């Protein structure tokens, strides 16, 4: 009678399944995904060249989001943000014409939080032929530039019971330029937002051009 030792038994049988999956995944990422992005861009027939630093055009719609927000070390009342030494959990909302038109993801335990404005959700079932449009990829408010137009950016510290207000900032559209707009704020009893970077991107531009502008 022969004995089966550990060296005779098969090792890690899951590798036989994992290797083909990894190969398919790498192929999809490096070859298929860029093609899908390109197809999605071509579907936007109204692509326009981006002139970074230019003023906003009347009647045009823009993607607007906060690429970075920094808070002061204490809340508007001068108290710690959270119990103990935990930092604030930052998120923001954009209100336009009295309506919330965008809400960001939360950034935990941060005095400085950033958002890329770009998010591509990809599933294995999409390998069959899904195209990625600019509107799907850009995570931002969509706001039309109008005379005397404004929007409000509301920054909050998310809490399990009730979100704490960090500050509300009203921003005039005619003060913005295409690209990154930096704004510094003073600490007060109603504001603990130290700095905001607002990105403005023209809707109708190609995804490639928008990504370049966000770098």
């Amino acid at each position: 009678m022969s004995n089966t030792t550990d060296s005779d038994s098969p090792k890690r049988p899951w590798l036989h399944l994992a290797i083909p999956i990894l190969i398919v995944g790498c192929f999809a990422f490096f070859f298929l995904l860029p093609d899908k992005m390109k197809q999605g861009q071509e579907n936007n027939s109204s692509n326009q060249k981006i002139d970074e630093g230019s003023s906003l055009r009347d009647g045009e719609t823009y993607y607007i989001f906060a690429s970075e927000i920094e808070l002061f070390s204490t809340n508007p009342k001068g108290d710690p943000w959270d119990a103990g030494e935990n930092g604030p959990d930052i998120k923001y909302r954009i209100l336009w014409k009295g309506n919330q038109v965008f809400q960001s993801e939360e950034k935990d335990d941060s005095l400085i939080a950033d958002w890329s404005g770009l998010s591509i959700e990809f599933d294995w079932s999409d390998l069959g032929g899904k195209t990625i449009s600019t509107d799907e990829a850009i995570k931002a408010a969509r706001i039309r530039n109008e005379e005397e137009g404004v929007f409000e950016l509301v920054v909050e510290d998310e809490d399990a019971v009730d979100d704490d207000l960090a500050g509300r900032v009203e921003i005039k559209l005619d003060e913005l330029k295409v690209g990154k707009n930096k704004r510094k704020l003073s600490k007060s009893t109603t504001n603990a937002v130290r700095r905001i970077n607002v990105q403005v991107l023209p809707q109708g531009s190609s995804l490639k051009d928008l990504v370049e502008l966000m770098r």
Side-chain angles (χ1 to χ4, degrees):
M1 186 172 89
S2 61
N3 294 325
T4 301
T5 65
D6 290 341
S7 60
D8 296 325
S9 60
K11 295 183 177 181
R12 298 182 177 88
W14 53 268
L15 283 176
H16 296 289
L17 294 174
I19 292 175
I21 293 175
L22 288 174
I23 293 174
V24 172
C26 291
F27 177 81
F29 183 82
F30 288 105
F31 295 97
L32 293 181
L33 184 57
D35 289 341
K36 300 305 177 186
M37 292 176 65
K38 183 177 179 181
Q39 292 173 20
Q41 295 168 22
E42 291 173 350
N43 289 336
N44 295 328
S45 58
S46 61
N47 284 351
Q48 60 188 39
K49 184 178 179 180
I50 296 178
D51 185 9
E52 186 174 1
S54 63
S55 299
L56 307 193
R57 299 179 180 178
D58 292 339
E60 294 290 329
T61 300
Y62 293 86
Y63 299 109
I64 297 179
F65 69 97
S67 58
E68 187 171 273
I69 294 176
E70 179 179 356
L71 302 184
F72 286 96
S73 58
T74 57
N75 66 22
K77 297 179 181 179
D79 299 326
W81 286 104
D82 287 324
E85 297 179 345
N86 293 333
D89 302 325
I90 305 175
K91 69 177 183 180
Y92 74 90
R93 299 180 292 123
I94 292 180
L95 306 179
W96 182 47
K97 296 185 176 182
N99 295 275
Q100 179 175 305
V101 293
F102 181 73
Q103 178 170 301
S104 75
E105 295 180 348
E106 172 194 344
K107 301 291 184 175
D108 295 336
D109 297 332
S110 301
L111 286 176
I112 300 177
D114 60 84
W115 295 265
S116 70
L118 182 67
S119 177
I120 299 176
E121 297 179 0
F122 185 75
D123 190 86
W124 290 112
S125 61
D126 298 332
L127 287 174
K130 176 182 177 180
T131 60
I132 299 172
S133 70
T134 303
D135 276 343
E136 289 177 312
I138 300 297
K139 300 304 179 183
R142 287 148 179 80
I143 295 177
R144 186 174 62 257
N145 183 35
E146 300 173 327
E147 185 177 358
E148 298 183 355
V150 298
F151 67 90
E152 191 174 25
L153 200 150
V154 182
V155 184
E156 297 170 322
D157 171 24
E158 185 167 283
D159 188 73
V161 178
D162 190 20
D163 297 340
D164 297 322
L165 180 66
R168 303 177 75 102
V169 183
E170 186 177 87
I171 299 176
K172 297 179 180 180
L173 292 170
D174 60 11
E175 295 178 350
L176 298 177
K177 305 291 184 182
V178 172
K180 184 181 292 184
N181 298 263
K182 300 180 179 181
R183 176 168 294 193
K184 292 184 178 180
L185 304 166
S186 300
K187 181 75 178 290
S188 71
T189 56
T190 58
N191 177 69
V193 179
R194 182 172 188 174
R195 180 171 54 89
I196 295 178
N197 290 344
V198 175
Q199 282 274 12
V200 179
L201 313 171
Q203 190 180 44
S205 300
S206 70
L207 183 55
K208 178 182 177 182
D209 289 343
L210 293 178
V211 171
E212 287 293 326
L213 182 61
M214 286 188 286
R215 287 184 176 180

